[in-house]
């Protein structure tokens, strides 16, 4: 414990630099994956063959360990954030793609027909009916991808990409348990915090409200 306290006393600037780098890489990878996977999920949602091919293709890519993708991309892209992004984006695309396609397909056909019967154009039906109803699926896919990316960004340190992986790699090299604890706990806390923030955003977007009865009323019952 003393060594951990001493670390923050002497290297707090490095720690917050790694925190900023970890968040930056994770957010950028998740956004790039969403930009790719979301329209692709929409495109293949009504085409069973295209959907199956896309899901299988990106599913196979996801099976490949992120570290292996890093090593494959290294000769072409060199070290740094760009190579790390390739592996992280490949990891994040499948859940977003699959959930987007599944969410759109889960919208009842009767609801679409009713909206069309009210005079809504196909674009209006998609924007005002399909997307809102598919939002829980799409968001769940993005949440899964983002949390996985945060956990996997530690691999970026192996090719000079930064993040909390840097302190973990240093701890492994120097056999420093305190470094490993600081890095591992930091990644875990960041993952939990990100999940909590995304959940709060989801509740705000869906009008979710938790009603708590006053303790006095509960006692009365």
């Amino acid at each position: 414990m003393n060594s951990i306290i001493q670390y923050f006393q002497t290297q707090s600037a490095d720690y917050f630099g790694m925190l900023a780098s970890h968040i930056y890489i994770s957010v950028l990878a998740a956004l790039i994956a969403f930009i790719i996977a979301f329209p692709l999920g929409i495109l293949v949602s009504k085409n069973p063959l295209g959907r199956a091919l896309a899901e299988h293709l990106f599913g196979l890519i996801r099976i490949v360990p992120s570290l292996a993708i890093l090593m494959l991309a290294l000769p072409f892209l060199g070290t740094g954030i760009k190579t790390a992004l390739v592996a992280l984006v490949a990891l994040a695309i499948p859940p977003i793609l699959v959930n987007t396609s599944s969410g759109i397909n889960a919208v009842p056909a009767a609801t679409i027909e009713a909206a069309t019967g009210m005079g809504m154009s196909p674009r209006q039906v998609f924007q005002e009916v399909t997307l809102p109803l598919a939002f829980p699926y799409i968001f769940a896919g993005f949440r899964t991808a983002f949390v996985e990316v945060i956990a996997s960004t530690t691999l970026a340190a192996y090719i000079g990409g930064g993040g909390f992986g840097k302190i973990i790699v240093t701890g492994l090299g120097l056999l420093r348990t305190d470094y490993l604890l600081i890095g591992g706990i930091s990644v875990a806390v960041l993952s939990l915090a990100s999940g909590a923030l995304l959940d709060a955003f989801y509740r705000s977007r869906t009008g979710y409200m938790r009603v708590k009865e006053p303790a006095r009323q509960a006692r009365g019952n």
Side-chain angles (χ1 to χ4, degrees):
M1 181 59 70
N2 290 334
S3 59
I4 294 177
I5 295 174
Q6 184 179 7
Y7 173 85
F8 283 103
Q9 289 176 339
T10 59
Q11 302 186 55
S12 58
D14 289 340
Y15 177 85
F16 287 109
M18 287 185 285
L19 172 62
S21 176
H22 202 105
I23 293 174
Y24 171 74
I25 296 172
S26 300
V27 171
L28 186 57
L31 289 178
I32 293 174
F34 185 80
I35 291 171
I36 296 172
F38 178 64
L40 186 58
I42 296 173
L43 183 65
V44 304
S45 61
K46 298 303 180 183
N47 186 327
L49 179 59
R51 181 184 178 191
L53 289 175
E55 290 181 2
H56 279 85
L57 173 62
F58 286 103
L60 288 173
I61 294 175
R62 199 179 187 199
I63 292 174
V64 180
S66 299
L67 187 58
I69 297 177
L70 281 176
M71 295 302 105
L72 290 173
L74 194 59
F76 303 98
L77 299 177
T79 59
I81 292 178
K82 288 190 296 184
T83 307
L85 286 174
V86 170
L88 295 172
V89 168
L91 174 70
I93 284 177
I96 300 174
L97 170 65
V98 172
N99 278 44
T100 298
S101 179
S102 298
I104 292 174
N105 279 301
V107 177
T111 303
I112 302 296
E113 292 175 2
T116 303
M118 293 174 62
M120 298 177 70
S121 67
R123 182 175 181 178
Q124 289 176 318
V125 171
F126 182 75
Q127 291 180 344
E128 299 179 23
V129 178
T130 302
L131 279 184
L133 291 177
F135 176 74
Y137 290 85
I138 299 169
F139 184 83
F142 180 80
R143 185 189 186 283
T144 299
F146 189 61
V147 173
E148 288 183 357
V149 164
I150 287 179
S152 300
T153 298
T154 53
L155 297 174
Y158 286 99
I159 44 88
F164 283 130
K166 182 178 178 180
I167 190 173
I168 294 175
V169 171
T170 302
L172 289 171
L174 300 178
L175 299 179
R176 291 284 299 270
T177 304
D178 53 339
Y179 278 30
L180 294 175
L181 285 173
I182 293 170
I185 292 174
S186 296
V187 173
V189 170
L190 187 57
S191 297
L192 292 173
S194 299
L197 287 174
L198 288 172
D199 288 342
F201 172 78
Y202 175 78
R203 290 194 295 269
S204 69
R205 293 295 297 175
T206 56
Y208 175 83
M209 181 180 296
R210 177 175 297 177
V211 179
K212 294 184 178 179
E213 295 184 355
R216 181 176 59 185
Q217 181 179 349
R219 287 195 298 268
N221 294 333

